[in-house]
């Protein structure tokens, strides 16, 4: 048993309690009914290789605090970088000032759903080795060791390697008495092989998902990067030589490495209550899954069970307490194919009388206001469900889709179009080689209603992304999505080579 | 807005430079921002933020060349600077030689370097808030719901190098977006405006434009997927051309890895992309679109590294001239290796069909509508993603207003579509380029704000599938 990682001493050495006391007491003096203060430090690093050469080496740190208040029933917010008690008190004053500017334009008083007080709570994510503690020479040597065999392989003209990691520390306190101190670590590594030939260029990328783990992820825990990289040249060569797909209706078996992103776009975002209520209408968009359909919307087939959680080990959205001091939870979003839940924050939970918030408030930086952001949204496997091979065995003519690539979906989450790293033809229940120029396109509910079967726990993979965007000013959030392989009938397949161009 | 920090930006830059033992560039960015956001005729969030980021780029001679280390950190006090410098130097000394290495930019101390940072605050948006109050009341009476966002960001860059170079650059960036919906949410329209200071944003007038468009939406027309003659407004053209610029990486083209490759190490420079005399250019001195006139980013969106080039003057660059591809993006190291000039892109993009000397020519969008027998008029493009990099095939949606034009008049609002098109291929199929105007793009306005674009006519725009979104 490895030791549980500890909270970073350099973060604990900040004057956290003084900042809290100064900000909250000033907010209370100014008559705020609610106030919270958040001190946040984000350490981020990025390395990239272009072939063998180090292309990017950038380390950055963001450190600051913000104060959010409800003053005379109106939100006010202010953020800054000066970590002094005086600065924190002035920030509370600025937050109240922004509330006063907003008051004439705010017809409804802000109410917040109740949450138990979590006094002096601490939480640290589950990882073994903080990547910041690894020697730089060792980090670069590991990347070179991964990319060397790729560049030595036939048919690989170039390789791009990207490695990013983050350590996130947050201190949160509110007038009610909650104080939380937390730490998370996450890491993403992607390697792309590029072929340049007489017919143009093609790529093939690793499928390893970003995860809430440390450096150990690159050295054998949770993923075998060496084995995956060893397969890339032959996968790329087959892709280059593959015939173009025939457009039309096809049955699809979708691998978790692709399906996670379809879940993210067509279920994750569509069940954000702020979207359903119109708060994102001018930007990220709204949702076809409107609030009046809670409990009745036929989202998908009866085998569809989707959960939201902030609890799964190594999940990118997993955290002890959200940025409103709400403790981590797990909840149903779609059960037996029917919409049964939304992602909430405290204001919306109160507004819609849904009881306690399910803990989906998140801000990506100390200077950004928390908003409702996605928990880990996952499609559950069937307890005794089939293997991926069994699912493929149930298809006479179709496609097996592996790895995410291009994605796009409309502002109400109806019409989506996805591509992938590789598509295999299925003929009579067996894989029959790759095809290229493939995109699958559908309307969300048509797609999920066409899901005939989900795979068993043995097919389940926790995928995810570092870069989920939402809000104005724009915020970026990391999020995981677990899912099994799944079988869909009669999905629209486009041949992308036939799209665009001259009529 | 008063500063909350006690040490000046210039002092931090000088202190960092005094601590360096290697050829180094120190970059300090002061950023002030204020914003308002609203939904359904009520304000939802607001904010006022200040941050100050120190970036130290240290370079070190290593076996085989020059290595570089980059470390950024938000700083408030002088005591924090030494650790940033030490970390950058450590990264440089222990790093491999960089392919982007070039001598640090030489130069003197500009007089402006000693000026304090420019700032902004929530007060800048007071007139917008007042206009919104009027518009919310009017919308309530008309049965409309208003959504949107107003944001003002002012950054001041202080750049100092161990060569003696000292530069200061101020970049104001503002955007205003107003989205109006009918009460049943079945009709939606959008207007947007870029602004440097919000003195030129007339909320009530913009709401008037929305009312016209929401009126057009009273008649609903269902059309199937297919190819349509299509009028793209300036903002939609901006979203497509910005993506083209973000792909214009010279080295990738030479290596056969983007749409601008001609194979075997050659590029498409000199090739005709458009039969019309289309010009696409960036210019840090373009009136109303002025940008910081020196390199102050470590990487441009096309992927080019500028890590050794901080402080380099940004020249005007013409990417497409008279319909021919004339330039691609390359840094100094790659320019030296290939015998060409470096082309750091200014943070703006201007398109016209008559060259920069006569950029005011061409029909207005209204005149183009009047001359349309049957076609679609778009408002915005949305969720644009790359499908096939070989052709730069992009996909996306139409958003907030697709209108059917017949016999020179708007007849009603059409359902939305998913489209699949390549901006490079579209340049070859545009049959009319209208009068350019300053415009706010929709998809990329988080990242790209300064464009002058024309409306264009495409005879056969590929609406691939129907979207039910309204």
């Amino acid at each position: 048993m490895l030791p549980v990682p500890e909270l970073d001493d350099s973060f604990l050495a900040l004057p956290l309690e003084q900042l809290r006391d100064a900000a909250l007491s000033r907010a209370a003096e100014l008559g705020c009914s609610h106030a919270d203060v958040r001190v946040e430090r984000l350490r981020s690093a990025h390395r990239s290789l272009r072939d063998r050469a180090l292309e990017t080496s950038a380390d950055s740190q963001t450190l600051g605090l913000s104060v959010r208040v409800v003053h005379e029933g109106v939100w006010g917010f202010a953020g800054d970088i000066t970590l002094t008690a005086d600065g924190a008190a002035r920030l509370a004053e600025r937050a109240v000032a922004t509330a006063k500017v907003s008051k004439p334009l705010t017809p409804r008083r802000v109410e917040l759903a109740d949450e138990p007080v979590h006094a002096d709570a601490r939480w640290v994510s589950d990882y073994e080795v903080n990547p910041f503690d690894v020697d730089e020479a060792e980090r670069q040597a590991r990347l070179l060791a991964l990319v060397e065999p790729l560049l030595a392989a036939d048919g690989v003209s170039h390789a791009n390697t990207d490695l990013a990691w983050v350590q996130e520390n947050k201190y949160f306190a509110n007038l009610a008495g909650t104080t939380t101190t937390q730490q998370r670590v996450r890491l993403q590594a992607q390697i792309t092989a590029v072929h340049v030939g007489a017919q143009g260029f093609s790529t093939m990328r690793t499928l390893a998902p970003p995860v809430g783990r440390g450096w150990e992820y690159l050295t054998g825990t949770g993923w075998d990067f060496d084995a995956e990289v060893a397969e890339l040249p032959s996968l790329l060569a087959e892709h280059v030589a593959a015939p173009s797909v025939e457009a039309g209706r096809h049955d699809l078996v979708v691998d978790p490495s692709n399906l996670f992103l379809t879940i993210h776009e067509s279920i994750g975002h569509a069940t954000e209550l702020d979207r359903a209520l119109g708060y994102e209408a001018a930007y990220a968009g709204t949702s076809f899954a409107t609030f009046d359909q809670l409990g009745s919307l036929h989202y998908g087939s009866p085998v569809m069970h989707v959960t939201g959680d902030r609890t799964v080990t190594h999940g990118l959205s997993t955290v002890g307490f959200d940025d409103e001091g709400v403790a981590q939870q797990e909840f149903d979003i779609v059960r037996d194919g029917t919409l049964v839940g939304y992602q909430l924050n405290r204001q919306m939970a109160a507004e819609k009388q849904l009881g306690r918030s399910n803990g989906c408030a998140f801000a990506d930086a100390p200077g950004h206001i928390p908003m409702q952001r996605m928990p880990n949204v996952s499609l559950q496997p069937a307890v005794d469900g089939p293997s991926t091979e069994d699912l493929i065995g149930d298809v006479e003519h179709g496609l097996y889709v592996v790895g995410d690539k291009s994605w796009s979906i409309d502002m109400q989450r109806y019409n989506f179009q996805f591509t992938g790293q590789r598509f295999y033809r299925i003929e009579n229940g067996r894989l029959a080689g790759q095809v290229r120029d493939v995109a699958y396109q559908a309307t969300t509910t048509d797609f999920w209603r066409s899901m005939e079967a989900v795979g068993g726990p043995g097919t389940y993979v926790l995928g995810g992304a570092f870069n989920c965007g939402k809000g104005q000013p724009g915020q970026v959030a990391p999020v995981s999505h677990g899912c099994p392989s799944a079988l869909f009938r009669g999905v629209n397949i486009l041949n992308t080579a036939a799209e665009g161009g001259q009529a | 807005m008063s500063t909350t920090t006690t040490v000046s930006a210039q002092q931090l830059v000088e202190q960092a430079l005094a601590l360096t033992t290697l050829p180094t560039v120190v970059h300090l960015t002061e950023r002030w921002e204020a914003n308002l956001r609203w939904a359904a005729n009520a304000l939802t969030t607001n904010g006022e933020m200040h941050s100050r980021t120190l970036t130290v780029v240290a370079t070190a001679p290593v076996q085989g060349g020059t290595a570089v280390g980059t470390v950024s950190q938000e700083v408030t006090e002088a005591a924090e600077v030494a650790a940033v410098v030490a970390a950058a130097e450590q990264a440089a000394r222990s790093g491999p030689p960089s392919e982007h290495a070039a001598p640090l930019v030489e130069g003197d101390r500009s007089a402006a370097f000693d000026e304090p940072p420019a700032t902004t605050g929530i007060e800048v948006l007071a007139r917008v808030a007042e206009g919104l109050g009027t518009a919310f009341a009017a919308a309530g009476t008309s049965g409309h719901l208003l959504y949107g966002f107003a944001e003002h960001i002012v950054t001041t860059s202080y750049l100092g190098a161990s060569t003696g170079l000292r530069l200061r650059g101020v970049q104001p960036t503002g955007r205003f977006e107003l989205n109006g919906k009918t009460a049943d949410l079945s009709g939606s329209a959008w207007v947007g405006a870029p602004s440097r200071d919000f003195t030129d944003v007339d909320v009530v007038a913009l709401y008037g434009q929305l009312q016209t468009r929401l009126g057009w939406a009273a008649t609903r027309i269902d059309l199937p997927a297919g190819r349509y003659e299509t009028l793209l407004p300036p903002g939609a053209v901006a979203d497509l051309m910005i993506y083209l610029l973000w792909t214009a990486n010279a080295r990738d083209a030479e290596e056969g890895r983007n749409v601008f490759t001609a194979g075997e190490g050659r590029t498409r420079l000199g090739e005709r992309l458009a039969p019309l005399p289309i010009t696409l250019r960036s210019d840090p001195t373009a009136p109303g679109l002025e940008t910081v006139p020196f390199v102050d980013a470590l990487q441009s969106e096309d992927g080019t590294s500028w890590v050794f080039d901080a402080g380099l003057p940004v020249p005007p660059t013409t990417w497409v001239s008279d319909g021919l591809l004339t330039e691609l993006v390359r840094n100094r190291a790659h320019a030296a290796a290939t015998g060409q000039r470096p082309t750091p892109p200014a943070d703006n993009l201007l398109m016209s069909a008559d060259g920069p000397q006569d950029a005011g020519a061409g029909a207005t969008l209204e005149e183009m509508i009047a001359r349309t027998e049957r076609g679609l008029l778009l408002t915005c493009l949305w969720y644009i993603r790359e499908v096939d990099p070989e052709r730069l095939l992009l996909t996306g949606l139409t958003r907030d207003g697709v209108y059917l034009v017949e016999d020179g008049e708007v007849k009603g609002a059409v359902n939305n579509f998913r489209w699949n098109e390549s901006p490079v291929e579209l340049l070859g199929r545009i049959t009319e380029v209208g009068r350019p105007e300053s415009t706010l793009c929709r998809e990329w306005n988080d990242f790209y704000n300064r464009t002058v674009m024309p409306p264009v006519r495409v005879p056969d725009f590929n609406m691939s599938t129907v979207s039910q979104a309204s």
Side-chain angles (χ1 to χ4, degrees):
Chain A
M1 188 73 185
L2 287 150
V4 175
E6 292 182 356
L7 284 164
D8 192 326
D9 283 338
S10 63
F11 184 72
L12 296 176
L14 297 169
L16 301 169
E17 290 179 7
Q18 291 96 306
L19 295 170
R20 173 190 66 187
D21 295 347
L24 295 181
S25 62
R26 188 71 187 120
E29 282 167 19
L30 293 170
C32 297
S33 59
H34 169 90
D36 57 55
V37 58
R38 181 164 42 88
V39 184
E40 181 169 337
R41 188 184 73 184
L42 271 172
R43 297 180 69 192
S44 311
H46 179 216
R47 303 287 181 271
S48 71
L49 302 182
R50 186 171 175 127
D51 297 337
R52 294 173 184 84
L54 183 66
E55 174 81 2
T56 309
S57 170
D59 288 36
S60 65
Q61 176 175 302
T62 299
L63 173 62
L65 81 164
S66 59
V67 176
R68 189 176 68 147
V69 302
V70 178
H71 183 263
E72 296 184 7
V74 180
W75 282 123
F77 179 81
D80 206 303
I81 51 176
T82 305
L83 302 184
T84 62
D86 276 357
R90 282 168 60 189
L91 211 52
E93 292 165 9
R94 281 169 55 198
V96 170
T98 62
K100 287 177 176 170
V101 170
S102 308
K103 188 163 196 306
L105 301 173
T106 310
R108 287 186 302 276
R109 288 184 69 85
V110 173
E111 305 284 346
L112 301 180
D114 287 339
E115 172 68 16
V117 169
H118 309 285
D120 200 25
R122 294 182 170 212
W123 186 89
V124 181
S125 71
D126 195 337
Y127 61 91
E128 292 173 18
V129 181
N130 187 331
F132 285 102
D133 294 340
V134 176
D135 185 69
E136 177 63 20
E138 185 183 338
R139 289 192 292 242
Q140 291 186 24
R142 178 63 184 137
L143 295 183
L144 280 170
L146 283 170
V147 82
E148 281 293 353
L150 201 53
L151 288 165
D154 285 345
V156 177
S157 315
H158 298 284
N160 293 338
T161 304
D162 276 284
L163 174 67
W165 67 97
V166 176
Q167 177 185 332
E168 176 189 291
N169 282 95
K170 292 194 183 203
Y171 174 86
F172 172 93
N174 64 21
L175 271 182
T178 287
T179 299
T180 61
T181 313
Q182 305 188 82
Q183 178 165 307
R184 301 199 291 179
V185 166
R186 53 185 174 267
L187 181 142
Q188 168 164 277
Q190 293 188 327
I191 301 166
T192 305
V194 183
H195 171 83
V196 179
Q199 304 304 313
F201 64 100
S202 298
T203 64
M204 188 64 64
R205 200 199 71 214
T206 52
L207 307 179
V211 287
R213 292 182 186 267
W215 182 252
E216 69 276 7
Y217 189 53
L218 264 183
T219 56
T221 300
W223 200 264
D224 188 341
F225 277 86
D226 297 279
E228 185 173 23
V229 167
E231 289 182 342
L232 282 185
S234 60
L235 292 169
L236 176 61
E238 187 186 352
H239 176 71
V240 168
S244 202
V245 74
E246 193 178 319
R249 296 271 162 191
H250 292 255
D251 293 346
L252 299 187
V253 174
V254 186
D255 191 78
S257 57
N258 182 275
L259 192 60
F260 87 90
L261 187 54
T262 308
I263 291 168
H264 176 86
E265 302 296 353
S266 71
I267 307 172
H269 280 302
T271 59
E272 296 172 321
L273 186 55
D274 61 344
R275 290 184 66 120
L277 296 180
Y279 297 149
E280 284 289 329
Y283 182 67
T286 59
S287 175
F288 72 92
T290 51
F291 189 73
D292 57 307
Q293 299 181 84
L294 181 63
S296 64
L297 175 66
H298 178 202
Y299 212 112
S301 70
V303 300
M304 185 182 186
H305 179 201
V306 178
T307 57
D309 78 79
R310 288 191 173 268
T311 57
V312 66
T313 307
H314 307 307
L316 293 169
S317 199
T318 299
V319 71
F321 303 87
D322 78 352
D323 287 341
E324 294 186 321
V326 177
Q328 60 174 201
Q329 295 162 50
E330 182 182 345
F331 54 96
D332 278 344
I333 294 175
V334 176
R335 197 169 49 219
D336 304 328
T338 300
L339 175 70
V340 295
Y342 285 102
Q343 306 156 46
L344 307 172
N345 63 14
R346 292 179 65 182
Q347 183 182 5
M348 292 189 295
E351 182 182 334
K352 290 297 170 189
Q353 300 179 316
L354 294 169
R356 185 185 178 198
S357 166
N358 51 29
C360 296
F362 174 79
D364 72 346
H368 279 159
I369 197 161
M371 49 197 252
Q372 189 263 292
R373 295 309 308 261
M374 215 181 285
N376 307 303
V377 172
S378 298
L379 175 68
Q380 296 304 313
V383 176
D384 300 315
S387 66
T388 303
E389 292 68 29
D390 291 341
L391 291 169
I392 291 168
D394 282 342
V395 174
E396 195 177 338
H397 303 290
L399 294 169
Y400 174 48
V401 186
V402 181
D404 70 290
K405 200 169 186 183
S406 171
W407 74 100
S408 176
I409 187 165
D410 72 38
M411 46 284 175
Q412 282 177 282
R413 304 279 146 172
Y414 282 113
N415 178 314
F416 61 67
Q417 180 178 307
F418 292 96
T419 65
Q421 290 298 319
R422 43 191 185 266
F423 290 81
Y424 294 86
R425 268 191 321 128
I426 303 172
E427 289 299 333
N428 299 316
R430 290 168 178 269
L431 296 185
Q434 288 189 43
V435 288
R436 55 184 296 158
D437 308 324
V438 189
Y440 69 93
Q441 180 278 326
T443 292
T444 292
T445 44
D446 293 345
F447 180 77
W448 290 107
R449 289 170 191 169
S450 78
M451 182 167 68
E452 184 176 289
V454 293
T459 72
Y460 190 87
V461 177
L462 189 68
F466 260 31
N467 61 339
C468 172
K470 186 178 173 184
Q472 290 180 309
Q475 296 196 34
V476 179
V479 57
S480 288
H481 301 288
C483 58
S485 295
L487 168 60
F488 300 83
R489 297 292 187 188
V491 179
N492 185 28
I493 296 296
L494 304 181
N495 180 312
T496 59
E499 293 289 314
Q502 201 83 40
Chain B
M1 181 49 55
S2 63
T3 178
T4 61
T5 42
T6 52
V7 185
S8 77
Q10 296 92 332
Q11 286 171 320
L12 289 171
V13 171
E14 297 298 349
Q15 192 198 350
L17 285 170
L19 289 166
T20 58
T21 59
L22 293 168
T24 296
V25 174
V26 175
H27 188 172
L28 191 132
T29 303
E30 292 266 3
R31 177 183 168 107
W32 290 86
E33 56 188 301
N35 60 69
L36 297 173
R37 197 178 195 203
W38 56 96
N41 300 341
L43 215 60
T44 51
T45 58
N46 54 43
E48 185 181 286
M49 288 90 88
H50 172 221
S51 63
R52 180 192 249 189
T53 306
L54 176 72
T55 300
V56 176
V57 180
T59 66
V62 294
Q63 191 173 9
T66 306
V68 61
T70 303
V71 175
S72 296
Q73 187 171 317
E74 289 196 5
V75 292
T76 52
E77 294 174 35
E80 298 167 283
V81 171
V84 181
V85 172
E89 293 203 339
Q90 165 66 18
R93 285 204 173 92
S94 63
S98 170
E99 296 183 329
H100 306 299
L104 296 183
V105 174
E106 305 270 342
D108 300 325
R109 184 186 189 91
S110 82
F113 185 76
D114 294 322
E115 293 175 23
T119 66
T120 188
I122 199 78
E123 305 80 23
V124 171
L125 299 174
R127 256 188 74 245
V128 167
E130 192 182 317
L132 283 173
T134 307
F136 289 171
T141 307
S142 309
H144 295 157
L145 297 169
L146 297 181
Y147 303 81
F149 183 60
E151 178 182 58
H152 195 228
I153 300 173
V154 176
T155 60
T156 308
S157 296
Y158 294 92
L159 196 145
S162 49
T163 59
L165 184 71
R166 297 289 184 279
L167 297 169
R168 173 181 176 274
V170 176
Q171 188 67 68
T173 301
R175 51 179 169 152
F176 178 84
E177 294 190 70
L178 190 62
N179 172 215
K181 296 185 190 297
T182 54
D184 64 357
L185 303 182
S186 68
S188 188
W190 183 90
V191 289
S195 178
R196 294 173 80 84
D197 57 12
F198 278 89
T199 57
D200 50 357
V201 174
D202 185 339
V203 176
V204 175
L206 288 166
Y207 175 53
Q209 292 180 29
L210 274 190
Q211 285 180 307
T212 301
R213 288 170 169 262
L214 288 170
W216 291 346
T219 305
R220 306 302 309 275
I221 300 162
D222 284 335
L223 288 179
R227 289 179 181 270
Y228 290 91
E229 179 171 320
T230 300
L231 299 176
L232 286 88
V237 175
D239 273 323
L240 293 169
M241 294 306 142
I242 289 166
Y243 208 104
L244 184 151
L245 178 64
W246 285 351
T247 311
N249 182 300
R251 186 177 168 195
D252 285 346
E254 289 155 15
E255 291 180 354
R257 302 166 68 174
N258 71 21
V259 67
F260 298 111
T261 185
E264 295 172 352
R266 290 174 289 112
T267 73
R268 296 171 70 179
L269 282 171
E271 184 180 317
R272 176 164 296 284
L273 300 181
L276 297 180
I278 288 173
T279 297
L280 198 60
R281 64 195 180 92
S282 302
D283 180 354
T285 65
L289 278 68
E290 294 88 350
T291 67
V292 173
F294 55 87
V295 170
D296 73 340
L298 298 178
Q299 192 176 60
S300 47
E301 291 284 347
D302 62 281
T304 299
S305 170
W306 301 99
V307 70
F308 281 86
D309 299 324
L312 189 68
V314 173
T317 301
T318 301
W319 313 106
V320 175
S321 178
D322 197 23
L324 306 178
L325 180 68
T326 47
E327 198 49 284
L328 295 167
V329 180
R330 69 182 74 80
N331 64 18
R332 282 188 304 161
H334 194 64
T338 57
Q340 298 177 87
R341 66 176 193 128
T343 49
D347 190 14
N348 62 26
L349 191 61
L350 301 92
M351 176 172 164
S352 63
D354 306 291
Q357 274 67 44
D358 195 18
T364 64
L365 185 57
E366 290 68 29
E367 290 164 350
M368 291 171 70
I369 292 168
R371 284 192 273 101
T372 300
E373 197 174 314
R374 186 171 192 272
L376 301 178
L377 167 64
L378 308 187
T379 303
C380 299
L381 304 180
W382 183 249
Y383 222 123
I384 299 172
R385 293 294 183 274
E386 190 173 292
V387 176
D388 181 358
E390 281 190 289
R391 299 165 53 203
L392 198 60
L393 182 72
L394 306 178
T395 191
L397 284 304
T398 61
R399 183 170 186 180
D400 292 330
V402 178
Y403 306 102
L404 177 65
V405 179
E406 282 182 332
D407 304 323
E409 288 180 4
V410 174
K411 298 295 184 188
V414 179
N415 46 274
N416 280 302
F417 296 99
R418 168 173 299 288
W419 49 269
N420 286 298
E421 283 286 3
S422 161
V424 179
E425 295 172 358
L426 282 174
L427 281 176
R429 286 157 46 213
I430 291 171
T431 54
E432 183 179 4
V433 176
R435 184 178 304 170
E437 61 183 51
S438 176
T439 188
L440 184 72
C441 66
R442 183 72 181 280
E443 170 76 14
W444 306 123
N445 74 40
D446 289 314
F447 319 105
Y448 213 98
N449 183 278
R450 284 168 283 276
T451 53
V452 168
M453 290 283 149
V456 305
R457 186 188 305 272
V458 176
D460 53 358
F461 198 86
N462 175 33
M463 300 298 184
S464 177
T465 51
V466 167
S467 158
Q468 295 176 44
S470 58

